[in-house]
Structures are given as structure tokens and as C-alpha cells.
Amino acid sequence: MYDIKALYEAKSVKDAVRLLVEHPEALVIAGGSDVLIKIREGKLAGRELVSIYGIDEMRGVSYEADGSIRIGSLTSFSHITNDPIIQKHIRVLGEAVDMVGGPQIRNIGTIGGNTCNGVTSADSASTLHAWDAVVEITGPEGVRQIPIEKFYIRAGVVDLHQGEVQTAIIIPKPAYEGYFGHYIKYAMRNAMDIATLGCSVNVKLSEDKTVIQDVRIAYGVAGPVPLRAVSAEKEAKGKPVCEKTVKDFAQAILEDIRPRDSWRASKAFRQHIAVVLAERALRESIRLAGGECDEQTV
């Protein structure tokens, strides 16, 4: 059923790097929810695999010394959704990954796998972009960290060099402290479907909840890779919390997104729902932050 040339089981991150260097054609496999399907379909038949699934040091959510949140790349979607640190600081990430597949997929699928496959529709990807996530990568030359927007190179391709393994995703404390966010996945079905468009927004309000101090918005399936709508962010920063700000913010996203026509949806339809989702996600983020949009406030 599965045409696999060889399977090597890594005992540690260091061991995984060694195996990947020794077997340069090998693929990394974690939960296997993507790789095994492609092998069964024949797309990756006859390949060598390096399994990292047994490396417990790559699991779990914790605080770094500087207050950053560290998410091990082998942490499952179910774990992320229910983790108390995620629930306290970045609940929206737990909500986003809870929309991946069904319960079986969420129990076995990992956030590292979801980002390393490089697809723009990954439910975690747009939310991680909106939280200024940093990707930690370990390889023969040591450890490096890069912003997640630089991790995605093009559709299906990420910045992983020969022998490297993604070991963690880090959310810096300044990126989450005081922010509240909301993710909306638009799909043809309510469950077990790939996103036609994903929109994630988080916002930080002034102390009196009347001004948007900062806002970040990111999309999936609005371009070949997940992307930030920086024009919209600039449009709303420093503006009053009101419907005019929300509308102007949503219209500004059209300057940055690059959707395409596909069998799932046309470019024009994706542009339309991108604006609608931006409005809804910003309003809900404002509500979660304790603010309220006032039609009369301009």
C-alpha cells in the first residue's frame, strides 16, 4: 500500500539533522497526514523517510525567558487548541487550527507540518503571519530564526536547506501582549474542506478603547503564499474605532492581495469575500479587545 524505500527514526533533533545529511534525498515525516497520502497516490513513491515523530523535545507550548511563546513544531493541532498558554494569549490560533480537517487529523497533524508544506490554504499560516511569528530552524550549521513571511518562498516551497528541520514557531511577547484576534475561514463546506479564503486579524486598542493603536491582517489563498495586507494595516493604525475606519481598512486590502481564478472560486469572488471578511474579523477583534464600533464616531 505504501511504497517506501527506507524509514529512519530520529531520536533527537541532532539525530534528525545527522540522518538528513546522511540521506540527502530523504523526506521528513511527522504525523504523516500529508506525506503518507502522497506516497499512497504514487507522487512520492519509493522515497526514503526520516521520522521525527518520536522527538518529544519538539512538542508542547511554553514561555521563553523573554516572555515569547514557543510552540514546538511537533505540537498537534488538538494540543494547541486546548493549551492554557494559547487560550490565555493567542486563543485565535487555537480556533484557527481547530478548523483543520476532522478530529483524527487534528490529533495527528502538527503545526510544523502545516507550515512546512508551504501551501497558502493552511489554516495556521495566515494567523501566524498576523502574529508576527518567527520560525526556528535547526540544521548542520546550528540554529537560525527567520520571520514567517520570509519562510514562505513560493507556492509549496519554504526556506529549509539541506539537512534542516523546523523545530519551533515563536510568537514574540511584543506581538501578542495586549492584542486580540479573530480568524475566519471561508469554505464551500463547514467541515473537512480546504479554505477558499482565510482571513486573520488582530488588534491592539488604546487604553480607553477608542483608538486602534495597531492592527495586523493576513490572508491565506489571497496569493501564492500567505500574505499580510500592509496597506490596510497602515490605513487603520491610529484611527478611531468606528465603522468608517473598518470600511476604509477593508477596502485597502485590495491593494495587497493577489487572488487567482480557480475551480474553487474566481478572482473577483475572492476579492469580494476578502473585503467582507476583513470587516467582520476587524469588528470581532475590536469587540474582543473591549471596544465597540460607533457609527457616529468619525
Side-chain angles (χ1 to χ4, degrees):
M1 186 175 182
Y2 294 101
D3 182 1
I4 298 172
K5 182 179 179 181
L7 175 64
Y8 310 101
E9 293 191 54
K11 306 302 181 184
S12 64
V13 173
K14 184 178 179 180
D15 193 33
V17 171
R18 177 187 64 82
L19 287 167
L20 289 169
V21 171
E22 291 178 359
H23 305 277
E25 300 300 317
L27 297 172
V28 172
I29 182 171
S33 56
D34 285 327
V35 172
L36 290 178
I37 291 173
K38 292 178 181 177
I39 291 175
R40 188 175 61 188
E41 292 174 343
K43 296 177 181 178
L44 298 175
R47 298 293 295 270
E48 293 178 300
L49 302 178
V50 172
S51 174
I52 61 172
Y53 198 68
I55 306 177
D56 285 339
E57 62 187 285
M58 289 175 58
R59 283 192 173 83
V61 181
S62 59
Y63 292 112
E64 300 271 61
D66 63 357
S68 298
I69 295 173
R70 179 185 180 87
I71 306 170
S73 292
L74 284 181
T75 310
S76 71
F77 300 127
S78 297
H79 186 136
I80 290 170
T81 298
N82 296 300
D83 185 87
I85 295 176
I86 299 293
Q87 288 283 316
K88 181 178 180 180
H89 297 292
I90 45 175
R91 180 187 293 267
V92 61
L93 179 60
E95 294 169 349
V97 299
D98 201 42
M99 298 180 189
V100 177
Q104 299 94 332
I105 296 296
R106 294 194 291 272
N107 286 338
I108 196 71
T110 64
I111 195 163
N114 201 227
T115 51
C116 284
N117 63 20
V119 298
T120 184
S121 59
D123 289 303
S124 68
S126 55
T127 298
L128 290 172
H129 274 68
W131 288 95
D132 280 343
V134 175
V135 179
E136 179 188 274
I137 298 166
T138 304
E141 306 301 320
V143 179
R144 64 188 178 101
Q145 294 184 348
I146 58 174
I148 194 166
E149 63 265 24
K150 294 184 178 180
F151 182 64
Y152 285 80
I153 297 174
R154 60 182 183 274
V157 179
V158 295
D159 186 15
L160 279 174
H161 303 160
Q162 176 59 45
E164 290 187 328
V165 180
Q166 186 204 104
T167 44
I169 292 172
I170 297 167
I171 313 295
K173 187 175 182 180
Y176 73 78
E177 195 170 47
Y179 286 83
F180 296 83
H182 187 59
Y183 172 72
I184 304 176
K185 174 180 180 177
Y186 182 92
M188 299 302 291
R189 297 178 299 177
N190 289 330
M192 299 290 286
D193 202 1
I194 295 172
T196 302
L197 195 81
C199 176
S200 193
V201 172
N202 57 52
V203 68
K204 184 176 185 179
L205 300 183
S206 61
E207 190 173 344
D208 63 3
K209 311 301 182 185
T210 63
V211 175
I212 296 176
Q213 283 191 348
D214 193 20
V215 62
R216 297 192 290 265
I217 178 170
Y219 284 95
V221 208
V225 295
L227 56 85
R228 290 271 291 272
V230 294
S231 298
E233 294 174 354
K234 292 177 181 177
E235 175 65 36
K237 285 180 184 178
K239 298 292 179 64
V241 175
C242 65
E243 276 299 309
K244 183 180 185 304
T245 297
V246 171
K247 296 288 186 181
D248 291 345
F249 167 82
Q251 286 298 317
I253 62 98
L254 295 173
E255 299 179 32
D256 299 303
I257 64 172
R258 305 185 304 277
R260 64 181 180 88
D261 291 312
S262 75
W263 67 270
R264 289 184 177 276
S266 68
K267 175 182 177 179
F269 181 69
R270 282 195 170 100
Q271 289 175 321
H272 169 71
I273 60 173
V275 172
V276 174
L277 296 190
E279 289 186 17
R280 293 178 181 176
L282 180 55
R283 286 194 194 100
E284 180 61 12
S285 296
I286 288 170
R287 187 191 70 80
L288 291 169
E292 183 178 353
C293 289
D294 185 351
E295 191 74 53
Q296 303 303 316
T297 304
V298 180

